[in-house]
């Protein structure tokens, strides 16, 4: 039975499944179903996992051990996110309240709020309203990016302006609206989704990076040229300076200047201006002016990240930054990215940005002051106030940042501001004259990327508990499909998986919206299931599912992708062939030993080699950095075919390793592990200590390397502790070394995750079965 307390209505379609109405405030579920589980987090202390690992004892974790969940349980999920608007509408809930739990489909999400308000008008009506505002403001073009003022990948609902205008909800994309046309630029991850979501009568999809598809600066410079020839006046391009990067504005101006130089018939020796950027200062963002019911800006409080997980005091970070400022002759450094600010001050926040533990704020450091710019509600908790006071941090209103940068420069003609134009908005950058600007990667970026010992220990710990959660989930899913013989929707899969993660100690929220794509939906790289979607599918034993998911734990961040198929034929020969080639690509990257100062793009070919052999490929990068209890996507490094990122891989970095293959309309395959980068020497030290076992007569891989004197070599160590489905592998395609890798990985998973499971539980049985050595051809 289910008792629902709602503002209007909410329903539960079955005792083992929860479906939430968008107006849901509180859900109370009482059930004795053998398939039931608790969505609420357990109250076990964060020492629980440590005692398990230290003792090696098999004990039940916080999920019911004998069945697939907790019988006779009472679970409470309270949604205190709020649905307030930025205009005159009143809020049902207070957006200032911090949420105790976030589930990717089980609560009102930021995107749900945007979809709800966007549905009140169709694309044609929104564009008509926009063009009326454009005409009033005297602009010919208006640019609508995905960004907030901090250029975040995931943004608060109030800044989802591009999603509101286009109904395309991917994390990357820019809309360009002219007086008679509208366009959306996005990358290859979203070509499929964007083509399904856009109203093709009103928007043209521009597949960036494809042949004959211009960049936005090139497109606008060509448009400016034709506009000037026709009307003999500059094209006026409107944009909000706070949500465009300084580097984009620079690229746009340079494109306009180059087009002007190339224009035929320009005045001799004259500087023709064919286009102008108008930031419409003093006016609201143009989307905001037509967005009825725009959500309110979030003001959730910070929490202190304990030294046990942070590993480095704020004062020590500031001292290190000031040393680097002295070398660069900078008198002020500006930090705009939200994860930079969170890392710098050892603060985290829940509720400002869905799935990201960061709060809306800026920061600056000078030689005699450290300043945090945020709303006062964010530092209201006494613990936060004392923490900042102890680090000698001054708190200023959020909106003061631009004026304070200008005041610093005006106070002394010799002052210089260190500001990374690629990660800072144009409104900040334009107040710094070029002679006073130090445009370089800020000093927090590399500090944050190379995890200290405490951060890395937290990451390892998070992946072990994540492995336990996945074992419980997969035991449940396999039972539902193969024993109960029922179908399971993508939404239910998302909810159940999140529920099992929520029972792990230290769980806060998911690390990104879960991707659970059945069959053809698996080919939509960043797909997100929704109850009211025409795309929603159900899993059975005849279709595959791609599940890309992760958790934000107090001590670490996880991100894992597995592709599963429960049919006896493993999806058929073609599917197994492609699955095996993707796995070979994953192993190819994982087993690399490489010299220090090797950039990430070097590794990309190893991930694609087996697919390339049969003329196949995938359109996304192979790896991204991951934060330590921070954002799931973190720079500056990556593994990608794009040679532009020459950031070298360093010891202490964390990267994903996620080759894939996507057959649009049929299926998607991706296998993703997170890896830490370690010194090769560490492997020898682990062997000497007995942590890694070497067979008699064999040598450690590192000792086989003929290294130049003094040359330091690095390798990858596995973080993700989740089995890979063995019956989808074509053994004939695998080498003996690759099969050895698989067996060794599964043995490591078994040894680390078993202590968290109870003997005889479905999760334990599933894990033991999944980690058995693969049967080889004789």
């Amino acid at each position: 039975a289910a008792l629902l307390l709602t503002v209007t209505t909410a329903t539960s379609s079955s005792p083992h499944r929860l479906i939430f109405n968008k107006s849901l405030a509180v859900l109370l579920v009482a059930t004795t179903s053998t398939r039931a589980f608790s969505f609420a987090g357990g109250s076990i202390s964060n020492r629980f996992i440590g005692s398990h690992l230290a003792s090696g004892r098999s004990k039940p974790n916080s999920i019911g051990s004998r069945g697939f969940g907790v019988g006779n349980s009472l679970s409470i999920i309270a949604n205190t996110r709020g649905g307030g608007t930025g205009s005159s509408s009143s809020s049902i809930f207070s957006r200032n309240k911090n949420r105790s739990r976030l589930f990717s489909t089980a609560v009102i999400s930021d995107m749900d709020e945007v979809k709800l308000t966007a549905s009140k008008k169709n694309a044609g009506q929104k564009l008509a309203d926009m063009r009326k505002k454009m005409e009033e403001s005297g602009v010919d073009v208006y640019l609508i990016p995905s960004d907030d003022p901090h250029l975040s990948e995931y943004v608060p609902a109030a800044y989802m302006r591009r999603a509101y205008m286009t109904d395309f909800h991917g994390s990357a994309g820019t809309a360009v609206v002219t007086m008679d046309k509208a366009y959306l630029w996005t990358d290859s991850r979203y070509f499929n989704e964007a083509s399904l979501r856009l109203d093709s009568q009103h928007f043209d999809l521009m597949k960036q990076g494809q042949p004959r598809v211009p960049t936005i600066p090139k497109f606008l410079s060509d448009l400016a040229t034709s506009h000037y020839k026709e009307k003999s006046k500059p094209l006026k391009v409107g944009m909000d300076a706070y949500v465009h990067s300084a580097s984009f504005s620079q690229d746009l101006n340079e494109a306009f200047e180059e087009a002007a130089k190339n224009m035929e018939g320009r005045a001799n020796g004259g500087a023709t201006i064919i286009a102008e950027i108008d930031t419409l200062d003093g006016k609201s963002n143009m989307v905001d002016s037509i967005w009825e019911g725009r959500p309110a800006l979030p003001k959730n409080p910070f929490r202190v990240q304990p030294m046990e997980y942070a590993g480095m005091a704020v004062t020590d970070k500031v001292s290190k930054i000031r040393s680097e400022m002295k070398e660069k002759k900078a008198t002020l450094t500006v930090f705009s990215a939200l994860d930079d600010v969170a890392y710098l001050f050892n603060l985290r926040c829940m509720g400002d940005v869905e799935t990201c533990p960061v709060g809306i704020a800026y920061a600056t450091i000078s030689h005699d002051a450290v300043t945090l710019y945020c709303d006062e509600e964010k530092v209201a908790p006494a613990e936060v106030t004392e923490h900042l006071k102890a680090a000698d941090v001054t708190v200023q209103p959020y909106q003061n940042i631009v004026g304070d940068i200008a005041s610093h420069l005006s106070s002394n003609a010799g002052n210089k501001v260190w500001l990374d134009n690629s990660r800072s908005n144009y409104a900040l950058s334009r107040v710094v004259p070029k002679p006073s600007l130090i445009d370089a990667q800020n000093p927090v970026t590399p500090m944050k990327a190379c995890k200290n010992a405490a951060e890395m220990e937290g990451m390892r710990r998070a992946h072990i508990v994540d492995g336990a959660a996945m074992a419980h989930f997969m035991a449940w899913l396999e039972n539902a499909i193969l024993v109960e013989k029922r179908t399971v929707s993508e939404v239910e899969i998302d909810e159940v998986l999140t529920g099992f993660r929520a029972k792990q100690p230290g769980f806060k929220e998911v690390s990104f919206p879960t991707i659970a794509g059945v069959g053809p939906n698996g080919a939509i790289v960043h797909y997100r299931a929704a109850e009211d979607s025409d795309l929603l599918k159900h899993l059975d034993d005849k279709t595959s599912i791609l599940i890309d998911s992760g958790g934000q734990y107090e001590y670490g961040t996880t991100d894992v992708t597995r592709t599963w198929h429960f049919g006896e034929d493993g999806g058929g020969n073609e599917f197994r062939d492609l699955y095996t080639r993707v796995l070979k690509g994953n192993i190819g990257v994982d087993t690399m030993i490489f010299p220090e100062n090797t950039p990430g793009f070097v590794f990309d070919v190893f991930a694609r080699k087996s697919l390339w052999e049969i003329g196949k490929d995938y359109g996304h990068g192979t790896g991204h950095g991951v934060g330590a209890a921070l954002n799931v996507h973190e720079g500056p490094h990556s593994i990608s075919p794009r040679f532009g990122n020459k950031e070298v891989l360093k010891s202490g970095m964390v990267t994903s390793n996620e080759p894939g293959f996507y057959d649009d309309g049929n299926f998607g395959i991706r296998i993703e592990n997170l890896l830490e980068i370690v010194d090769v020497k560490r492997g020898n030290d682990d062997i000497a200590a007995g942590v890694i076992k070497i067979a008699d007569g064999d040598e450690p891989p590192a000792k086989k390397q003929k290294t130049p004197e003094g040359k330091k070599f690095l390798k990858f160590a596995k973080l993700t502790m989740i089995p890979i489905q063995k019956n989808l592998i074509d053994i004939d395609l695998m080498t003996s070394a690759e099969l050895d890798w698989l067996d060794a990985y599964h043995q490591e998973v078994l040894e680390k995750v078993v202590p968290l499971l109870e003997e005889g539980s479905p999760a334990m049985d599933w894990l033991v079965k999944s980690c058995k050595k693969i049967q080889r051809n004789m």
Side-chain angles (χ1 to χ4, degrees), residues 743-766:
D743 285 342
Y745 175 54
H746 283 159
Q747 182 62 28
E748 184 180 1
V749 171
L750 196 65
E751 290 175 356
K752 291 183 176 179
V753 178
V754 156
L756 304 188
L757 306 176
E758 184 177 5
E759 193 70 33
S761 67
M764 175 73 88
D765 293 344
W766 179 86

Side-chain angles (χ1 to χ4, degrees), residues 172 186-191 207-210 525 599-605 608 612 617-624 636-647:
T186 192
D187 62 53
S188 60
R189 294 172 299 166
Y190 296 111
F191 290 167
K207 298 181 177 181
Q208 64 191 51
Q210 298 299 295
V525 178
F601 68 78
V602 170
F603 301 89
D604 189 74
V605 65
R608 299 175 194 268
W612 284 357
D617 203 355
Y618 54 94
H620 57 75
T622 298
H624 57 81
H637 56 290
S638 68
I639 300 175
S640 167
R642 299 170 184 85
F643 296 165
N645 187 352
K646 294 181 173 60
E647 194 73 35

Side-chain angles (χ1 to χ4, degrees), residues 350-369:
M350 190 168 173
D352 276 14
V353 182
E354 188 178 44
T355 78
C356 300
V358 296
I360 304 298
Y362 295 102
T364 61
I365 296 178
S366 67
H367 293 309
D368 58 3

Side-chain angles (χ1 to χ4, degrees), residues 470 545-548 560-564 579 586 670-673 720-725 745:
M470 188 64 78
I545 184 167
L546 184 154
I547 305 177
D548 189 350
V560 58
T561 308
R562 291 290 184 267
T563 304
W564 310 96
Y579 181 93
N586 184 288
R670 188 161 65 250
I671 301 173
E672 175 188 17
N673 280 355
T720 303
M721 292 292 128
I722 295 168
I724 293 166
Q725 189 171 348
Y745 175 54

